Amino acid sequence: MIANTQDKMNIYKVIDKARLYIKNEDSINLILKAYDVAYHQHLGQFRKSGDPYVIHALWVAYILCDLQVEPSVVAAGLLHDVIEDCEITAPELELQFGEEIVTLVESVTKLGKVKMTNDEDYLAENQRRLFIAMSKDVRVILIKLADRLHNMRTLKYMKPEKQIKISRETLDIYAPIAHRMGMSKIKAELEDRCLFYLDPDMYKEIAKRLADQQASRTETIDHMIADISKLLDEYRIVHRIFGRLKNIYSIYKKIKTKGKRFEEIYDLQAIRIICNQEMDCYGILGLIHNRYRPLPGRFKDYIAMPKPNLYQSLHTTIIGENENIFEVQIRTEEMDLIAEGGIAAHWQYKEGIDAKTNQREIEEKLHWFKDFISMTSEAQNQDHEAKDYMKNLMVEIFEANVYVLTPKGRVISLPSGGTAIDFAYKIHSKLAEKMNGVVINGKIAPLNRELATGDVVEIKTVNNAAGPNDDWLKFAKTSSARQRIKQFIKLKNQDLHKQDILRGKEILISEIERRQLKDKDVMTSKNIEMLLKNLSLSSIDDVYFAIANKGISAQNIIDRLVQDNTKNQTELKIRLSTEKKSISKNDVVIEGISGVPIELAACCSPIPGDEIVGIVLSGKGIKIHRTDCRNIINYEPKSKLIYVEWNYVVSNHKKYTAELQVFSYDRNFLLSDIVHVISSQRLSLMHIDSKVSNDGEILITKLRVQISNKEDLDVFISNLSKIPDVYEIIRVNK
Ligand code: MN
């Protein structure tokens, strides 16, 4: 372990550290002023260790000075806990320190309020993303890491269950962030301290073995170092050379994940050579490989190909005296600085450059975000230009996604613009369907409120909730929520259909009773069979539905039933068919009406087999609609609706136009899959076009085909619905 926590910290130590890189007296005074405020604000507060609270603030500032961050960040480090724990408010602080520092302090405070949990739902990757998204500014992360580092150094004063919880969280969230920022020194210390609490036995075992081995090998390694140094001197290469211990956690990981034995880990002890120029690195490598035998497959050139977190170095493993194995790392001073300090090394404060330029330079160097994301979406970006990639990345992390929390602290990621409806569906569709309200950050909010990163969202439910409706489709941004809402509405409509059937049946029965007829005399199976044939309907339910929706009157039905009952059925058949033939060459027949222009409505484009109804338009003939056409459902007065049926004598020889909308997830070759279905069913395609929905996830394809009848259309729709990624097909109803 690196730092000595026994040191008493004070402001002079911080200032001494700061003066190593800050020469400007105004900047030093800013730090002193921040200390003054922190000191007075925290007066009377103590850490669990018994130290005055301000000691913690001083340590955070000291760690930040070690990273050589700009003076305002050191000041913010000193003040990082005052808004949260003290009397002073953000506006008051802003009066003294200005907006920049207060924003930093507030961001650190806000980040601290994000509850990290140990639920089974615990998703470390999401937690890390949340952390990054909430920081928005790398300087906030630096302060938070310094804060966590000092908290880990003083963890022994906490209760055991807290020690474990905080160590777990640090290992899952903070250490990986430090790693991705290339801050290997802080990362290693955090990891070792976590392991100390999480697996104390292994920690002690590895530490002891390392110490033993070091003791027994000190002589060997010293000898090696002296030999190599002498060699480099002979070639007049300016260098520093030293032995270095691997951190305990990384050995632990190799033992745990790679199943290696302690003895099998080669790079327990490494030799590091630091030189002035990049060319020297390769020169040194050549000399060493010339003198010692390298282990095959162990050479790595991270100078030519830096790690995503910008780490650069040459690595090789050689066999030294007495067959001892050593890892050798060769790099320049600058590379070493970055290897140890990572992003912070890029970030180092340069005096004389204005803050804006500094910030811009820093942002140009934010390559580590790339690493951050590539962990999760490795493959997709291979051919992107680096620049585009960074741009997309920033959008993805800062804009495209919001990370919100359940009351228990589980992180839910949503696309930007996502609402409580999306949130609820992400958790469970049953929860969403019972939702009757939402509380965001403790306040009741409308369902269409766009959620922001860090919002705590609580869904309110009731058992008899009305459930999703068409409005929800306007609010939902995720395709999964939209799909489930549509399903729900569809099922509900089917339910309504059933209710219509029951209602139609009731109407018919009361009409039978009104005529003082007997149900069982009228509704014989023979009669019903005749009636269905007569009306071209497939079930008695269809008759009831037509009655309920005024597609046909109960009187008319009973007339038919009674009539059929009394007349010779063969005779009737003949009469009907001759009647039809004589009436027209129209697509439909209307009893008692002839010589009137009849037209199929364009809004719902009925095709043979569809349940249909006519509207008498005075002086303009009759328009034929599907009974489920929205223009019919809303049509008043219902008395203008008349019963019509298909004239199959004509229609069997014709083709009709059907218009469909196909909803699918967007993907390549979807259109060609659709066209394939059309041609394999030998339909003629009149028109096809498609567009992507606003959220870019859904493809809506409109198509018009020529088709014979409803039966063929049902087959067609069923074939379309079998295409992967197609989830809904509707007939167009304008
Ligand atoms: Mn703190």
Side-chain angles (χ1 to χ4, degrees), residues 47 53 56 60 80-81 147 151:
R47 297 275 288 179
Y53 199 94
H56 168 65
V60 170
H80 81 272
D81 276 329
D147 179 38
N151 286 338

Side-chain angles (χ1 to χ4, degrees), residues 516-533:
Q516 301 186 325
L517 293 168
K518 285 238 160 63
D519 192 16
K520 63 176 192 313
D521 294 339
V522 179
M523 303 296 282
T524 62
S525 56
K526 214 169 196 176
N527 275 351
I528 290 170
E529 193 190 330
M530 197 60 204
L531 177 74
L532 294 177
K533 214 170 203 173

Side-chain angles (χ1 to χ4, degrees), residues 90-186:
E92 287 165 356
L93 204 61
E94 190 171 336
L95 281 178
Q96 296 192 56
F97 292 97
E99 196 193 333
E100 190 191 359
I101 290 178
V102 172
T103 305
L104 287 173
V105 174
E106 277 186 311
S107 301
V108 173
T109 307
K110 207 173 156 205
L111 206 48
K113 287 199 173 132
V114 175
K115 261 195 278 169
M116 309 281 180
T117 69
N118 282 311
D119 281 6
E120 35 185 313
D121 292 328
Y122 190 85
L123 287 168
E125 183 59 35
N126 265 349
Q127 301 271 20
R128 287 195 286 271
R129 282 170 172 241
L130 171 72
F131 189 98
I132 299 290
M134 287 198 62
S135 313
K136 299 244 168 178
D137 184 333
V138 176
R139 297 174 301 176
V140 174
I141 300 178
L142 294 180
I143 297 170
K144 201 67 202 163
L145 281 173
D147 179 38
R148 180 51 61 112
L149 182 59
H150 185 246
N151 286 338
M152 285 305 297
R153 285 177 184 172
T154 54
L155 199 61
K156 64 179 167 197
Y157 301 106
M158 303 297 257
K159 286 184 191 135
E161 61 271 22
K162 262 248 154 126
Q163 289 173 342
I164 288 179
K165 185 177 176 288
I166 292 174
S167 296
R168 188 76 256 159
E169 181 183 292
T170 304
L171 198 59
D172 283 344
I173 319 247
Y174 290 83
I177 287 171
H179 172 62
R180 284 164 206 200
M181 293 174 78
M183 303 167 76
S184 59
K185 215 166 122 184
I186 287 182

Side-chain angles (χ1 to χ4, degrees), residues 131-269:
F131 189 98
I132 299 290
M134 287 198 62
S135 313
K136 299 244 168 178
D137 184 333
V138 176
R139 297 174 301 176
V140 174
I141 300 178
L142 294 180
I143 297 170
K144 201 67 202 163
L145 281 173
D147 179 38
R148 180 51 61 112
L149 182 59
H150 185 246
N151 286 338
M152 285 305 297
R153 285 177 184 172
T154 54
L155 199 61
K156 64 179 167 197
Y157 301 106
M158 303 297 257
K159 286 184 191 135
E161 61 271 22
K162 262 248 154 126
Q163 289 173 342
I164 288 179
K165 185 177 176 288
I166 292 174
S167 296
R168 188 76 256 159
E169 181 183 292
T170 304
L171 198 59
D172 283 344
I173 319 247
Y174 290 83
I177 287 171
H179 172 62
R180 284 164 206 200
M181 293 174 78
M183 303 167 76
S184 59
K185 215 166 122 184
I186 287 182
K187 173 209 157 214
E189 185 180 343
L190 288 175
E191 284 177 344
D192 282 0
R193 289 186 186 276
C194 291
L195 186 64
F196 178 83
Y197 293 103
L198 294 174
D199 195 342
D201 293 343
M202 276 294 273
Y203 177 91
K204 281 169 200 153
E205 165 86 15
I206 296 169
K208 185 175 175 298
R209 276 170 168 265
L210 265 182
D212 289 353
Q213 209 193 45
Q214 199 191 13
S216 69
R217 289 181 65 181
T218 305
E219 210 175 305
T220 341
I221 207 159
D222 284 351
H223 202 195
M224 262 313 263
I225 286 173
D227 264 8
I228 294 173
S229 195
K230 202 173 139 214
L231 175 71
L232 299 184
D233 282 341
E234 279 169 27
Y235 286 86
R236 297 181 194 284
I237 297 174
V238 181
H239 67 277
R240 291 193 288 130
I241 183 167
F242 49 92
R244 130 192 191 273
L245 273 182
K246 211 169 165 61
N247 84 311
I248 293 175
Y249 183 75
S250 62
I251 296 168
Y252 173 83
K253 239 175 37 186
K254 278 198 176 164
I255 291 171
K256 283 281 170 184
T257 63
K258 296 195 177 161
K260 290 204 170 170
R261 282 180 298 122
F262 187 82
E263 295 76 16
E264 288 174 304
I265 300 169
Y266 294 135
D267 45 2
L268 287 176
Q269 287 206 29

